[in-house]
Amino acid sequence: MTGGRSEDAASPGQLPDPSTTAIKRATAVTALGLLVQLASSFYWTPITFVLAAALGLPLVGVGVVMFLRAVLRLMKNKGAF
Amino acid sequence: VLPTYIVVALTVGLAVVGLLYFGAASVAGSRWGRVALLVGVVALPLLLSAGTVSYGLRKSTETSFCLSCHEMQQYGTSLFADNRAALSAVHYQNRLIDRGSTCYSCHADYAMFGDIKAKLNGLRHVWVHYFAKPPDKIALYQPYPSANCLHCHDDARRFLEGPAHQPVLDIIYQGKVSCLDCHNLAHDLKAREAHKLWQAR
C-alpha cells in the first residue's frame, strides 16, 4: 500500500508526506476563505457581504471537508477502521 | 468596516490557520498538536465564518444597508414625506416599525421562507446594481401581500374597529381584497421633489 510505505518513510513524530500535503492544502483553502471574509470586513457593502457569504464561507467549508478527508484517509491507512 | 471584535477575531483566526499551515507536519506528531489542528483548521474557521455571515445577515436587514445603493435613496427620503397618506412615511415617522430596519419590516415576507426569499431577492438586487442596468422605474416582483400588513395589524384594535375596515374584514382575511387597494400610496416620491419633508427634532 502506498500510504503504508510513505508512513514508514516518515520520521517519528511527523506525518507521512501525502497526508502533510493534503492537510496543508486544506489549511490553505481554509485560510483563503478566512482571508476573503477578512478583506470583506474592511469594506462592508452589499457586494462584499455577498462575497464573504458566497465565496469566503464555501471556501472555509471546502477546506474543512478536505482536512477531514485527509484525516480520515490517514486513520484508514493506519488501520484505525 | 465591521466591528473591531469581528475584524480582530478573523485576523487571529487567519494567523492561527497560517501558523498551522507552516507547522502542519511537526504539529500533527503529538496528540495536542492534532487537537490544535482540529480546532485551528475546523472549529475556529467554522465558528468565525458562522459569526461573520450571521452578523452580515443581521446587518443586511438594516435600513442603512438598503439605502447604501443609490437606487434606493429616493425611497429612503420618502420616509420623511410630509404626507399622512403615504404608508412608509406614516410607519416610519410614528415609529410603528423599527427605524433601524424599516425597509425589511415591510419588504420581507413573514413565515418560514420569508427571510430566505428576501435574501434571494437581495442577491438579485446586488447583481442588477453592480453588473446590470437598474430599471428606470423600480417595481415589486409581485403584488404586495396583505399578509405582511396583517402580520402586525391583524389583531390591532385600531384596525379591527376601524369603520372602513369592518365591512371588509372577511374579504381582507380571505385575500380577496388587498390593503393596498385603499391604502395605495406606499412611497410618496413626489414629496421629495417638492421638498415637502418632515424633519424630526
Side-chain angles (χ1 to χ4, degrees), chain B residues 135-181:
Chain B
D136 293 331
K137 191 174 185 303
I138 294 173
L140 296 176
Y141 295 116
Q142 59 186 37
Y144 191 83
S146 295
N148 287 3
C149 309
L150 293 174
H151 181 77
C152 298
H153 291 279
D154 190 7
D155 58 354
R157 184 173 178 183
R158 211 169 96 180
F159 168 70
L160 291 174
E161 294 180 359
H165 294 151
Q166 282 193 336
V168 289
L169 273 180
D170 286 341
I171 52 174
I172 288 176
Y173 285 121
Q174 288 163 13
K176 290 179 181 169
V177 168
S178 166
C179 302
L180 268 72
D181 286 344

Side-chain angles (χ1 to χ4, degrees), chain A residues 13-15 20 23-28 30-31 34-35 37-38 41-47 49-50 52-53 57 60-61 63-64 67-68, chain B residues 1-2 7 10-11 13-14 17 21 24-26 28-29 37-38 41-42 45-46 48-49 52-53 56-57 59-60 65 68 123 126 130-131:
Chain A
Q14 289 223 327
L15 285 178
T20 310
I23 287 178
K24 280 188 107 170
R25 208 174 283 159
T27 312
T30 308
L34 286 179
L35 191 66
Q37 292 178 47
L38 181 64
S41 72
F42 284 111
Y43 187 64
W44 198 252
T45 63
I47 189 77
F49 167 55
V50 171
L57 184 65
V60 168
V64 166
F67 176 82
L68 293 176
Chain B
V1 180
L2 288 188
V7 176
L10 280 171
T11 310
L14 192 59
V17 175
Y21 174 82
S26 50
L37 267 176
L38 196 66
V41 185
V42 178
L46 283 180
L48 288 172
S49 301
T52 307
V53 171
L57 285 173
K59 282 295 275 184
S60 71
F65 187 87
S68 66
L123 269 181
V126 170
Y130 288 99
F131 306 110

Side-chain angles (χ1 to χ4, degrees), chain B residues 72 75 103 106-109 121 124-125 135 137-145 148 178 180 186-187:
Chain B
M72 286 297 126
Y75 294 92
C103 312
C106 295
H107 289 286
D109 290 353
N121 282 340
R124 210 189 309 187
H125 298 161
K137 191 174 185 303
I138 294 173
L140 296 176
Y141 295 116
Q142 59 186 37
Y144 191 83
N148 287 3
S178 166
L180 268 72
H187 290 273

Side-chain angles (χ1 to χ4, degrees), chain A:
Chain A
M1 265 167 57
T2 321
R5 236 185 295 133
S6 54
E7 199 178 318
D8 296 341
S11 57
Q14 289 223 327
L15 285 178
D17 277 341
S19 306
T20 310
T21 311
I23 287 178
K24 280 188 107 170
R25 208 174 283 159
T27 312
V29 173
T30 308
L32 192 63
L34 286 179
L35 191 66
V36 169
Q37 292 178 47
L38 181 64
S40 303
S41 72
F42 284 111
Y43 187 64
W44 198 252
T45 63
I47 189 77
T48 54
F49 167 55
V50 171
L51 269 179
L55 186 66
L57 184 65
L59 276 173
V60 168
V62 168
V64 166
V65 170
M66 283 169 70
F67 176 82
L68 293 176
R69 273 187 66 183
V71 170
L72 281 177
R73 201 175 299 145
L74 182 66
M75 288 171 78
K76 210 171 166 184
N77 288 343
K78 280 188 162 184
F81 301 121

